[in-house]
């Protein structure tokens, strides 16, 4: 009987401990770490040579800096409680698409035709994955 009580108490303690960690978030990677990991993944997927790696890293670093600036601006506006107007949203989306077009042109210069096709396919798959995740989150919020 004592052993049974001991097992029950330990099981309850373990489950309570496991549930307590659920709300904790993992520490985020730095922009440099994210760029490095992204470059390594692209090197594996696209079989980049040394020269291509250097050029792609420079491009990813620039893109990351722009992303961090936009993120900081959006966060500041959110903290102020200011929502962008329709014109501002249009401008932000237009700028994002312009940046994406410029990135694609630069990647086309750096990569071979075969690598570029694979790159475009990878981007489409990632966009689909993000869209599925967004839909899943929207469904959860509706409940």
């Amino acid at each position: 009987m004592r052993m049974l009580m001991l097992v029950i108490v330990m099981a309850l303690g373990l489950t309570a401990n496991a549930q307590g960690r659920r709300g904790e978030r993992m520490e985020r990677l730095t922009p440099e770490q994210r760029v490095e990991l992204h470059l390594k993944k692209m090197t594996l997927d696209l079989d980049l040579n040394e020269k291509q790696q250097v050029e792609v890293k420079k491009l990813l670093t620039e893109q990351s800096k722009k992303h961090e600036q936009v993120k900081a601006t959006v966060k500041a506006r959110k903290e102020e409680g200011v929502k962008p107007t329709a014109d501002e949203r249009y401008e932000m989306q237009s700028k994002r698409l312009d940046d994406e077009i410029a990135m694609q042109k630069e990647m086309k210069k750096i990569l071979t035709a075969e690598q570029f096709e694979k790159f475009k396919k990878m981007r489409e798959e990632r966009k689909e994955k993000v869209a599925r995740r967004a839909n899943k989150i929207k469904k959860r919020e509706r409940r």
Side-chain angles (χ1 to χ4, degrees), residues 62-78 88-89 91-97 99:
E62 291 171 10
Q63 185 183 25
S64 177
K65 287 178 183 175
K66 287 179 186 178
H67 179 73
E68 290 299 318
Q69 289 173 345
V70 169
K71 207 163 99 172
T73 304
V74 168
K75 185 177 180 180
R77 290 182 68 118
K78 193 173 188 178
E88 290 172 331
R89 279 197 326 268
E91 285 297 319
M92 287 188 296
Q93 289 178 4
S94 179
K95 184 173 178 356
R96 183 185 57 80
L97 291 172
D99 290 344

Side-chain angles (χ1 to χ4, degrees), residues 97-114:
L97 291 172
D98 289 341
D99 290 344
E100 197 171 322
I101 291 167
M103 168 78 166
Q104 190 167 339
K105 284 181 183 178
E106 288 298 315
M107 289 300 288
K108 194 170 192 173
K109 290 178 189 175
I110 296 169
L111 302 175
T112 64
E114 182 180 308

Side-chain angles (χ1 to χ4, degrees), residues 41-58:
K41 184 174 181 346
M42 288 180 74
T43 300
L44 289 172
D45 292 342
L46 301 175
D47 195 31
L48 301 177
N49 62 34
E50 293 294 322
K51 182 181 176 202
Q52 289 173 323
Q53 287 179 28
V54 170
E55 292 177 21
V56 169
K57 183 174 183 173
K58 185 173 74 171

Side-chain angles (χ1 to χ4, degrees), residues 3-142:
M3 194 60 130
L4 181 62
M5 289 297 280
L6 181 61
V7 169
I8 291 173
V9 168
M10 288 182 69
L12 288 174
L14 289 174
T15 55
N17 189 23
Q19 289 176 357
R21 293 184 184 166
R22 185 175 286 166
E24 294 177 15
R25 296 194 128 218
M26 290 179 27
E27 189 174 326
R28 297 209 180 265
L29 299 174
T30 65
E32 294 81 19
Q33 290 172 327
R34 284 195 302 269
V35 165
E36 194 65 36
L37 290 175
H38 193 179
L39 177 65
K40 286 182 179 184
K41 184 174 181 346
M42 288 180 74
T43 300
L44 289 172
D45 292 342
L46 301 175
D47 195 31
L48 301 177
N49 62 34
E50 293 294 322
K51 182 181 176 202
Q52 289 173 323
Q53 287 179 28
V54 170
E55 292 177 21
V56 169
K57 183 174 183 173
K58 185 173 74 171
L59 195 60
L60 291 175
T61 303
E62 291 171 10
Q63 185 183 25
S64 177
K65 287 178 183 175
K66 287 179 186 178
H67 179 73
E68 290 299 318
Q69 289 173 345
V70 169
K71 207 163 99 172
T73 304
V74 168
K75 185 177 180 180
R77 290 182 68 118
K78 193 173 188 178
E79 287 174 353
E80 292 173 4
V82 178
K83 291 191 177 188
T85 64
D87 289 336
E88 290 172 331
R89 279 197 326 268
Y90 170 78
E91 285 297 319
M92 287 188 296
Q93 289 178 4
S94 179
K95 184 173 178 356
R96 183 185 57 80
L97 291 172
D98 289 341
D99 290 344
E100 197 171 322
I101 291 167
M103 168 78 166
Q104 190 167 339
K105 284 181 183 178
E106 288 298 315
M107 289 300 288
K108 194 170 192 173
K109 290 178 189 175
I110 296 169
L111 302 175
T112 64
E114 182 180 308
Q115 288 173 326
F116 186 70
E117 287 302 314
K118 204 170 187 181
F119 170 75
K120 284 184 5 182
K121 184 179 176 189
M122 287 169 33
R123 284 189 93 158
E124 287 302 315
E125 289 171 356
R126 192 171 79 234
K127 283 182 182 181
E128 289 172 8
K129 184 178 177 180
V130 168
R132 282 194 305 268
R133 190 178 301 154
N135 286 337
K136 190 183 273 188
I137 290 170
K138 284 180 184 177
K139 285 180 183 177
R140 240 187 277 147
E141 289 174 353
R142 288 181 193 157

